[in-house]
Amino acid sequence: MPHIAVLGSANLDFVVTQPRLAKPGETIFGHDFVTVPGGKGLNQAVAAARAGGNVAFLGAVGADDAGRVLRACLDAEGIDLSGLIEVAGATGTAHIAVVDDGENSIVVVPGANAAVTELDDVTRSHIAGASALVLQLERPLELVAEALAFARASGVRTVLTPAPARPLAPELLGLVDILVPNAGEACELAGVDDELVAARALSQQAATVIMTRGAHGSVIARAGEVIAEVPARRVNAVDTTAAGDTFVGALIARLTAGDELDDAVRTASVAASITVTRPGATSSIPTWDEVAAAL
């Protein structure tokens, strides 16, 4: 079975649901509090596995209770953990405020995610043997850049979620086969305010850009042109946490399974639409049976 390598972050999420975001210096009451596994890399790995992918997770956790929780979560999904590194210090955490309209605000404390800055032999072996390498920007940028270059030299398809958004050199974007930003990230990367202009501009650097736009669906761009628009499935959103990660995980799982790009994007959109109807990160990611039933 084709192998998907996810090099990314793993965090323990501390999630508060609340009526609105607090103003500076203000104290407000929340409705609920939960602690759940998360991190963009872990979420994408779980989403890919639940969409039928054969996944290896290449991450780092601390030798603490949080690290053991994250390891158990990944193991329960049947994800290969031979590339999961245990480091001194604390596991990464994310502190998430989810407001009543489903939007969220997130502060990440990287912890162990920032401890590894170069590829080791085990990680290189996983990447070289993969059909696709999935990355985000919650790990050190030098590690992401090295992994992209190594994957390109090894003939491995690369998929990058440019989040949290930060300036990226054209040379790095040139190593990306599929760039999956949301509209805000695309505009920030391209330095423009218009979403479609941003998608077209970025597609002159990365080979393919799939820009997600929430309720407005997705845009696919190549070589400076928008080649397709995929509508969103209408749902009542309660929490957008992990929606983008679900989209990416389902997308690469279906592409690796042999689906055409347009079909894979439609499937990923349906998977993400299910995620936003549920609270939490990994707990909200649907199974393949749930996605298939909604297609």
Side-chain angles (χ1 to χ4, degrees), residues 176-218:
V176 178
D177 294 312
I178 303 176
L179 183 72
V180 193
N182 63 28
E185 292 156 358
C187 288
E188 185 168 344
L189 277 176
V192 299
D193 294 327
D194 186 284
E195 298 171 2
L196 295 181
V197 171
R200 289 195 292 264
L202 291 172
S203 72
Q204 292 178 318
Q205 299 176 68
T208 298
V209 173
I210 303 171
M211 182 179 69
T212 60
R213 301 188 295 168
H216 300 293
S218 307

Side-chain angles (χ1 to χ4, degrees), residues 65-208:
D65 288 342
R68 287 185 281 276
V69 168
L70 300 184
R71 185 183 293 274
C73 169
L74 290 160
D75 187 57
E77 301 291 338
I79 293 170
D80 184 339
L81 299 183
S82 58
L84 179 61
I85 300 169
E86 186 175 284
V87 302
T91 296
T93 56
H95 306 263
I96 304 174
V98 179
V99 297
D100 287 345
D101 65 2
E103 291 298 328
N104 61 57
S105 177
I106 304 174
V107 177
V108 174
V109 181
N113 294 305
V116 178
T117 58
E118 59 185 17
L119 302 179
D120 62 12
D121 290 342
V122 173
T123 303
R124 285 176 175 271
S125 177
H126 272 293
I127 294 172
S131 296
L133 173 66
V134 179
L135 310 101
Q136 325 78 37
L137 299 180
E138 289 184 341
R139 301 289 301 276
L141 190 56
E142 59 266 40
L143 178 69
V144 171
E146 183 184 359
L148 283 169
F150 180 73
R152 174 59 58 85
S154 303
V156 176
R157 172 188 272 169
T158 57
V159 182
L160 175 66
T161 302
R166 65 179 79 178
L168 296 175
E171 295 80 9
L172 188 147
L173 286 173
L175 297 171
V176 178
D177 294 312
I178 303 176
L179 183 72
V180 193
N182 63 28
E185 292 156 358
C187 288
E188 185 168 344
L189 277 176
V192 299
D193 294 327
D194 186 284
E195 298 171 2
L196 295 181
V197 171
R200 289 195 292 264
L202 291 172
S203 72
Q204 292 178 318
Q205 299 176 68
T208 298

